[in-house]
Amino acid sequence: MASGKNQRKLTNLLINSEVQRRIVVVNLIFMILVFILTMAIIYTHLLENEIGSEGVWRFAFGELTMSLSAKLIILYGALIFTFLLSIVTQLWMTHRFCGPLVNFCNAFKMISGGDFIKRVTLRKDDLLKKEADQFNEMVVRISELVEELKSENERLNSAVNNAIKEEN
């Protein structure tokens, strides 16, 4: 590993702890639910094989015969529902994160073109609100500085023009 100023540190792992924590917690909840449901399916299936419970649905694939009880059908349904819910939740979370990024990119383009009126506006449940507020404060300060520079430039131009008139 190269030595120098640009080495990564483990402290850089959490860049935005609030956003990362929310995403990680949601992922962990769904992983735990999937694990619990999977273990319940395996355990229920093993118990039914030992006890010899008659299934609600019977499938025959050549020599292999399989039956599913009502408990297993409910557990499989819950597992599928959990997967679908996790997909919807992840889409919602990424939408709440990526939407503000799109707003930031649009604001960057407008400001780089000289439009200092553009502000980043976020929806109620969007992430990165603190960053948007800081960005908007920065843009206000930059626009104030640009206005000060313009007025100073006008003042200097007037002084130069007056000096030229006085010389003539």
Side-chain angles (χ1 to χ4, degrees), residues 129-141:
K129 285 186 184 265
K130 182 175 69 173
E131 290 78 5
D133 292 339
Q134 291 172 345
F135 178 82
N136 290 336
E137 289 174 15
M138 178 192 70
V139 171
V140 166
R141 183 66 184 131

Side-chain angles (χ1 to χ4, degrees), residues 107 110-111 114-121 135-136 139-140 143 147:
M110 298 290 285
I111 291 169
D115 179 11
F116 293 104
I117 297 172
K118 179 67 177 167
R119 302 291 183 265
V120 174
T121 55
F135 178 82
N136 290 336
V139 171
V140 166
S143 65
E147 289 302 317

